[in-house]
Amino acid sequence: MAAPKPIHAYDVSEAGAAKAVTDLDTSPPAGGYRWVHLDLSDPNAFAWISEQADPVVADALMRADARPRMAEHADGLILIMRGVNLNPNSDPEDMVSLRLWVTDRLVITTRLRRLMAVSEMAEQMARGSAPATPADLVCALSQGLTARMEPVLEALVDEIDDLEERSVDRASRLRGELAEIRRTTITLRRYLAPQRDILARLSLEDAGPLHHPRVRVTLRETADRLARLVEELDMIRERSSILNDQMLDARAEEMNAAMLLLSVVAAVFLPLGFLTGLLGINVGGLPGAHWPYAFALVCASCLGLAGGLVWWFRRKGWL
């Protein structure tokens, strides 16, 4: 079976020196480890991963849509994390999965789309420097994924602040922007919350190759940062709900004011319409039919009645 063409592949020595790998059929360095980063679309990836681990691991690493999770298997650890999508012309909330198989000598990662944290790690290794152990590599990747989430959440906080300021005068026109913020918040939280729980669990348990106390401390710090980000998302979601309620209240007040004005206008013209309709019936016996000042008297009566109604409504505060 032909070996897949890796996106990145490096051998790392005990001292943390990295060297590019050209042949995946060779063995990892003695005392060190090998990192292989593969594309899910590579037709040879599944078979090669099955040879390096087993089909269960290959299936976990080759799934197109994977939620954050962790599972110990044989002598290694299956770990799936997500990062914000910072690729050009992409939405950050369209999060990208990073799948890892971690043992003491081998780290296999797979992806469908590019992740900046992985690219930065590959650039660091290309310069000859790398995390000294597989556990350190996992810590560095988790820290890189978390660090790139923070600017996205800060931008969301700025957007909700701006909406709150603008909602004073244009509440009814901002509902589309608010709906977009709420959608982004819900999508991000859907993946960050389980990822926070996974890192917190890894920091407390002796999970395969991540058993070193120093590694657990680093993972705990990353989990704390993720917990803060999830709390920020919860705060944004609550503020969005409050702002949405305020917009609905403002819209209801506008509609109530319009309905009140229409009701007042209808109340003013209803008796006038009745009076003019009564005088317009084509029957005999109407008073003043032959008096030249009758029409002027009727008009004056209508104006007086309208003025009296307007005064009454103003007194009651309805107008």
Side-chain angles (χ1 to χ4, degrees), residues 31 62 67 73 86 96 146 151 154 213 223 241 260 281 288 304:
M62 297 301 293
R67 291 177 58 83
H73 181 76
L86 299 179
V96 182
T146 304
E154 290 175 0
S241 298
L260 178 59
I281 59 177

Side-chain angles (χ1 to χ4, degrees), residues 3-263:
K5 183 179 179 180
I7 303 172
H8 308 294
Y10 290 93
D11 281 340
V12 181
S13 68
E14 290 181 280
K19 180 181 179 181
V21 177
T22 56
D23 185 4
L24 295 183
D25 292 330
T26 60
S27 300
Y33 70 94
R34 174 172 293 174
W35 174 44
V36 180
H37 187 52
L38 301 175
D39 195 316
L40 291 180
S41 61
D42 194 315
N44 299 319
F46 185 89
W48 185 82
I49 296 174
S50 298
E51 292 179 357
Q52 303 301 314
D54 59 46
V56 174
V57 176
D59 181 69
L61 266 60
M62 297 301 293
R63 289 181 181 176
D65 186 18
R67 291 177 58 83
R69 70 183 183 94
M70 63 159 284
E72 293 187 69
H73 181 76
D75 60 341
L77 178 70
I78 299 172
L79 183 61
I80 298 174
M81 297 186 291
R82 288 225 176 195
V84 291
N85 190 353
L86 299 179
N87 294 307
N89 302 320
S90 300
D91 295 327
E93 68 271 15
D94 185 18
M95 303 189 75
V96 182
S97 295
L98 178 65
R99 306 151 185 83
L100 301 93
W101 167 247
V102 187
T103 67
D104 292 327
R105 302 275 321 272
L106 178 65
V107 177
I108 301 175
T109 58
T110 61
R111 57 89 158 163
L112 191 60
R113 288 168 292 180
R114 182 169 174 260
L115 272 169
M116 297 300 179
V118 176
S119 298
E120 184 178 297
M121 179 57 63
E123 292 173 1
Q124 178 182 334
M125 289 191 177
R127 294 192 295 267
S129 176
T133 66
D136 292 328
L137 177 61
V138 173
C139 290
L141 290 174
S142 65
Q143 288 176 324
L145 293 174
T146 304
R148 283 161 179 78
M149 296 174 188
E150 293 176 342
V152 175
L153 265 69
E154 290 175 0
L156 281 177
V157 172
D158 292 339
E159 288 182 28
I160 197 69
D161 288 342
D162 181 58
L163 277 181
E164 287 177 341
E165 292 178 2
R166 290 190 289 153
S167 65
V168 176
D169 300 322
R170 296 186 300 163
S172 60
R173 305 178 186 178
L174 305 177
R175 298 186 66 185
E177 297 180 42
L178 180 61
E180 180 65 22
I181 292 176
R182 297 181 73 180
R183 184 184 67 82
T184 300
T185 302
I186 292 171
T187 304
L188 289 173
R189 196 187 189 287
R190 177 187 177 192
Y191 296 110
L192 293 192
Q195 189 157 312
R196 169 203 59 191
D197 298 337
I198 288 170
L199 292 178
R201 179 180 168 189
L202 286 173
S203 68
L204 297 175
E205 299 179 2
D206 292 332
L210 308 183
H211 55 79
H212 196 281
R214 172 178 51 81
V215 173
R216 292 205 298 269
V217 170
T218 304
L219 289 174
R220 188 178 303 117
E221 291 297 323
T222 306
D224 289 341
R225 291 176 67 184
L226 263 179
R228 183 179 59 81
L229 295 181
V230 173
E231 291 172 357
E232 288 280 350
L233 286 173
D234 290 337
M235 182 193 67
I236 294 172
R237 185 172 59 178
E238 292 174 3
R239 290 174 64 185
S240 299
S241 298
I242 293 173
L243 187 55
N244 184 65
D245 292 340
Q246 291 176 346
M247 289 182 178
L248 291 177
D249 291 342
R251 187 178 182 87
E253 289 179 3
E254 292 176 0
M255 294 182 64
N256 290 336
M259 292 299 296
L260 178 59
L261 180 60
L262 291 175
S263 300

